[in-house]
Structures are given as structure tokens and as C-alpha cells.
Amino acid sequence: PAPPALLPYVPRLPPAALLGKITATTFALERPHCVFDRHANASDAVWLVVAFANASATFRNPPSRADVPPYEQLPTAHSYMTLEMPVASYSCSAPSPAVLRVGGDTACGCQGGQEPCNGPLPSPGPYRVKFLVLGCHGPIAETSWSDPILLRRAGSPSTIDPAPTRGGSATVVIAAILASLGVVLAAVVLSTVCAKAWASLCHRDLGTDTFTHKSYRTHHIPPTCRCTPPGLGCFAPRPPGLCPAK
């Protein structure tokens, strides 16, 4: 069969700052757009080949999908293929995310199968990747290999110094002093609030006792009217009449 066409595209990491662009087991890859439109049919699939950097030169494209190296063979074969997608996913008009996450499927290998999957990368690498268009009759087109991609290394517990440095001791002393001042300030504020609340309660009690023991004198106020027999209403009293002249 004719060798696959070499496309003028080099896979790379996203140039912009991205959260989690490179971790200990995954990395983000820039998604290719308008790269495979003229070299593939709608029935073809685009694969991502992941290989150790020192093994990328010896990788051989599989003649069919049945020969695709799975994720579980990476420790021995030093390469595998993943992220199988139809060509239309990378077309110019396809609305798609800007990046691909390599190694993001943590369920790979849990069932012991040999199906292609996008499992976490087992070591920092470095790795190289390329895109391969695979049709019914074998490889059709491929990109160049990427530059080496090195993942982050996790810190070893043995590298932690149990004895703090001088700067660390000074920092601990300053933090202890600030903590003590905070405790004192909180105690002062709490005592002030309690004193005000207690004074308020005492003031309320004093007002109640004073009202209870204070005596009041009442004054008899004569009625302003006198009641007549029932049904006749109430009339104001009349002033005493003048004596008739004799």
C-alpha cells in the first residue's frame, strides 16, 4: 500500500496559560482544525498516537483498526493509540473544544480489557504524539511527531526537611505572637460586650423594682355630670339658683 500522506501540522501544547495543562498523569493538547478535510473521507477515523520520545522513531502505523496498539501495552510496546474520532470532529465547521485532554480517563484498565482508551500516563515521560488518519484499507495521512512533552514529577516525601530553617523559625515565632495578640484582643472585646449586657440587665431590674415599691397618691376627681334615672340621659349639674327677692 502507498505510504500515508505527511500533513504539514505539528501537534503541540496550547500556547496560552491553561489550568492543568501539564500534570503528573495528563496533558492538554491543541485541537487541530481544518487539517484533515482534504485528505480523508467521512468514514475515516482520526487517532492520536502516544509514544515514549525515545520510541517514536520505531513506531509502525497499524495496517487496520484491529491492529491498533491498546493503552495496556504502553509499558512493553512503549506506544499506544487513543482518542478515536471521526474526521468530521476536526473539520473547519465543527464546533468543538479548543483542546484535547490526553490521559484523562481514569477508568482505563479497570475491567482488564484490551480496548483502546485514554488512560492516565504512567510516568513523566517524555512523550511524543502525532495524529493518524486510519481508513478501511489502512493509514491514509499522518502529522509529524510533536516535540517531547515532559509531565510534572510529584514531590518525594524523603526530600522534606523535618527541621525548619531559621527563616521558618522566625516565621513560626511571629505567627505565635500574632495569635496571642488575637486571643487577648478577642478576650477584651468579649468582656466589654458582657459588661454592657450585664449593665443593661441591671438597669432593667432597677427600673422594675422602683416602679414596684413607689407609692402614688390618687386624687378624687368629682364627676362632671350626674346621672338621671334610667332612660333620661346624663346632664351636667346646675349651679345653685339665686334666692328670689322678697
Side-chain angles (χ1 to χ4, degrees), residues 152-243:
R152 298 186 182 275
R153 294 178 180 271
S156 175
S158 61
T159 60
I160 300 176
D161 188 5
T165 60
R166 293 182 179 179
S169 301
T171 304
V172 171
V173 171
I174 294 174
I177 294 175
L178 293 178
S180 301
L181 291 178
V183 172
V184 173
L185 181 60
V188 171
V189 173
L190 184 60
S191 61
T192 304
V193 173
C194 292
K196 289 185 177 180
W198 182 259
S200 177
L201 292 175
C202 292
H203 181 70
R204 291 181 180 179
D205 292 340
L206 179 60
T208 304
D209 294 341
T210 303
F211 179 81
T212 304
H213 296 89
K214 183 179 294 185
S215 61
Y216 293 90
R217 292 184 177 181
T218 58
H219 299 275
H220 176 71
I221 301 176
T224 56
C225 65
R226 57 183 180 86
C227 292
T228 57
L232 297 182
C234 192
F235 301 94
R238 295 181 180 179
L242 300 175
C243 297

Side-chain angles (χ1 to χ4, degrees), residues 1-5 39 60-64 132-142:
H39 302 275
R60 296 293 179 263
N61 294 327
S64 64
L132 175 65
V133 181
L134 194 61
C136 298
H137 303 286
I140 298 175
E142 64 180 351

Side-chain angles (χ1 to χ4, degrees), residues 19-179:
L19 184 64
K21 181 164 60 175
I22 296 179
T23 69
T25 58
T26 67
F27 64 90
L29 196 65
E30 191 177 50
R31 190 184 188 98
H33 290 284
C34 307
V35 176
F36 313 108
D37 290 352
R38 295 182 299 173
H39 302 275
N41 299 321
S43 59
D44 299 333
V46 179
W47 291 79
L48 179 69
V49 183
V50 182
F52 285 106
N54 56 359
S56 59
T58 60
F59 177 81
R60 296 293 179 263
N61 294 327
S64 64
R65 190 188 186 283
D67 301 313
V68 167
Y71 164 77
E72 289 78 9
Q73 291 185 4
L74 177 62
T76 56
H78 308 297
S79 61
Y80 70 100
M81 293 173 60
T82 183
L83 295 179
E84 180 187 12
M85 295 186 183
V87 175
S89 300
Y90 298 103
S91 64
C92 299
S93 59
S96 57
V99 296
L100 300 171
R101 173 63 61 179
V102 181
D105 188 1
T106 58
C108 284
C110 294
Q111 289 78 19
Q114 295 292 314
E115 289 295 324
C117 64
N118 186 25
L121 299 171
S123 68
Y127 300 92
R128 289 181 185 268
V129 298
K130 74 173 183 179
F131 290 95
L132 175 65
V133 181
L134 194 61
C136 298
H137 303 286
I140 298 175
E142 64 180 351
T143 67
S144 300
W145 288 98
S146 67
D147 293 332
I149 301 174
L150 182 64
L151 303 186
R152 298 186 182 275
R153 294 178 180 271
S156 175
S158 61
T159 60
I160 300 176
D161 188 5
T165 60
R166 293 182 179 179
S169 301
T171 304
V172 171
V173 171
I174 294 174
I177 294 175
L178 293 178

